[in-house]
Amino acid sequence: VLTACGEDNNRNEAPVYFDIWGSYNHDGMLNVKEGFSYFTDLQSGESVCVCSRPECGHDSGECDGYVSIDAQFLFMNDTNEFFLYRNRADDSYSLNDLIMVKADRDGRNRKTLAVLEDAQNGIDAAYDNGWFALCYLKQFDFDESSGRAGATPDLEKYKAGLYLVNTETGEIIPADEEEGYDAMFCKAAIKDGKVYYLKWYCDQKIDFDSGYDEGLRQQALYMHKSLCSYDIKTGKKKEIWTGSNESVKTMGSYFIIISEDGIIYLDGEEEMELKNREELDKYFDGGWSTQ
């Protein structure tokens, strides 16, 4: 779905936006339908299976468009197709791992690009300049000694983190991870060689069964929320903002943090002084997501 890839650090790529089942940009949408990869053209609305064999019925695992029911964050760049999945079929990989696959744009010549250990579930993703960023969450304990189906109790404390994968070389960078009650990493964005993301965890389990107001009170006491950046070249990690249960709205690398003390506007690490909504509208095209 993207327009360029390679080793050039000055690529002119179209922005790509993810949801867990696929991705889209100004050309169209790539998504998973019943285990198969489909591209929908933005102009014509035509949807076609990502398979180059004219005789294929696109109805079995032999189809080049088959990516599995569990495929996540399907996307393309100028030369290749990529997706993640959690292996359930055999003992090749742990059920706790996510496997990233790289293929030709028509689905052929697939290979395992990276194995993301303990990633378990993808939450959010970003892509830019040959780097794929994945926010992941491990919340179950797969007891594989009991077989591939294994017992899957909830972990008392979740593990959440950020992986980076070089889509050319397969290099894996475990950029950040937290373990805690209700831990979460989300809202990944890549801009100018840095990955931006929102993360939080709690010191104790928040009890919303006692009422919504009581849950908010506990969040204010026990939640640690932060907006972070990770420099891909240097490996330097930075907390741009820290808080507890403040509302954080995001669109790409733009963030609005709303608290009792006022509103903070951020463009990546840079704080912006915005006077009105018209000025704010210059910084995004689309809706904001609240966390």
Side-chain angles (χ1 to χ4, degrees):
V1 178
L2 302 184
T3 58
C5 192
E7 295 297 336
D8 184 6
N9 289 326
N10 296 308
R11 301 185 185 102
N12 182 24
E13 295 180 325
V16 57
Y17 304 96
F18 286 90
D19 65 28
I20 193 170
W21 305 118
S23 60
Y24 67 94
N25 73 352
H26 59 62
D27 292 325
M29 179 175 66
L30 194 69
N31 69 321
V32 180
K33 296 180 182 179
E34 298 182 347
F36 294 84
S37 170
Y38 276 82
F39 177 75
T40 303
D41 183 82
L42 180 63
Q43 298 299 322
S44 68
E46 182 182 3
S47 184
V48 295
C49 185
V50 182
C51 175
S52 62
R53 293 188 292 145
E55 75 283 2
C56 183
H58 315 311
D59 54 6
S60 75
E62 300 301 316
C63 174
D64 291 332
Y66 183 74
V67 293
S68 92
I69 295 293
D70 297 320
Q72 302 179 11
F73 299 107
L74 180 71
F75 75 102
M76 286 183 184
N77 61 23
D78 192 45
T79 56
N80 294 99
E81 178 186 48
F82 303 88
F83 63 91
L84 286 83
Y85 76 100
R86 183 150 47 90
N87 184 42
R88 300 174 186 268
D90 55 46
D91 296 326
S92 301
Y93 304 101
S94 168
L95 279 167
N96 293 304
D97 299 341
L98 277 178
I99 304 140
M100 188 170 186
V101 174
K102 181 177 183 178
D104 295 343
R105 281 177 59 93
D106 60 5
R108 294 181 298 176
N109 299 317
R110 295 183 182 182
K111 67 175 184 179
T112 296
L113 179 67
V115 178
L116 306 181
E117 296 182 356
D118 263 5
Q120 201 173 90
N121 294 293
I123 298 298
D124 195 20
Y127 174 84
D128 184 63
N129 205 32
W131 285 96
F132 175 79
L134 178 75
C135 294
Y136 65 87
L137 176 65
K138 183 181 180 181
Q139 61 189 130
F140 299 106
D141 183 16
F142 288 110
D143 180 10
E144 294 176 85
S145 65
S146 301
R148 295 297 290 175
T152 59
D154 249 340
L155 291 171
E156 183 180 7
K157 294 182 179 180
Y158 295 167
K159 284 185 178 180
L162 177 73
Y163 269 123
L164 299 177
V165 181
N166 186 310
T167 57
E168 292 296 319
T169 67
E171 176 189 1
I172 301 171
I173 299 176
D176 197 1
E177 187 178 73
E178 294 285 355
E179 183 175 11
Y181 294 98
D182 298 321
M184 178 65 70
F185 278 50
C186 59
K187 295 302 147 195
I190 305 176
K191 182 179 180 182
D192 298 331
K194 293 183 179 181
V195 186
Y196 297 94
Y197 55 100
L198 184 67
K199 70 175 182 179
W200 68 80
Y201 66 95
C202 298
D203 293 325
Q204 71 173 41
K205 192 72 175 177
I206 304 301
D207 181 18
F208 277 102
D209 291 338
S210 299
Y212 183 71
D213 289 339
E214 172 61 18
L216 291 180
R217 187 191 71 82
Q218 292 181 22
Q219 280 187 332
L221 290 173
Y222 304 119
M223 176 177 277
H224 303 274
K225 183 180 284 189
S226 55
L227 176 62
C228 303
S229 69
Y230 180 89
D231 190 303
I232 298 174
K233 185 176 181 180
T234 67
K236 183 179 179 180
K237 185 171 58 179
K238 180 179 179 181
E239 285 189 327
I240 303 167
W241 167 86
T242 60
S244 57
N245 64 341
E246 291 88 348
S247 175
V248 180
K249 297 185 177 184
T250 69
M251 182 63 188
S253 61
Y254 299 110
F255 299 86
I256 299 178
I257 301 165
I258 304 171
S259 70
E260 293 179 354
D261 298 326
I263 300 176
I264 301 172
Y265 302 97
L266 292 167
D267 176 2
E269 298 181 19
E270 180 182 357
E271 187 168 350
M272 301 181 293
E273 294 184 7
L274 301 179
K275 310 300 183 190
N276 52 53
R277 179 55 188 259
E278 288 72 22
E279 188 175 0
L280 178 62
D281 284 342
K282 298 176 183 178
Y283 289 90
F284 74 95
D285 179 17
W288 291 84
S289 175
T290 303
Q291 297 291 342

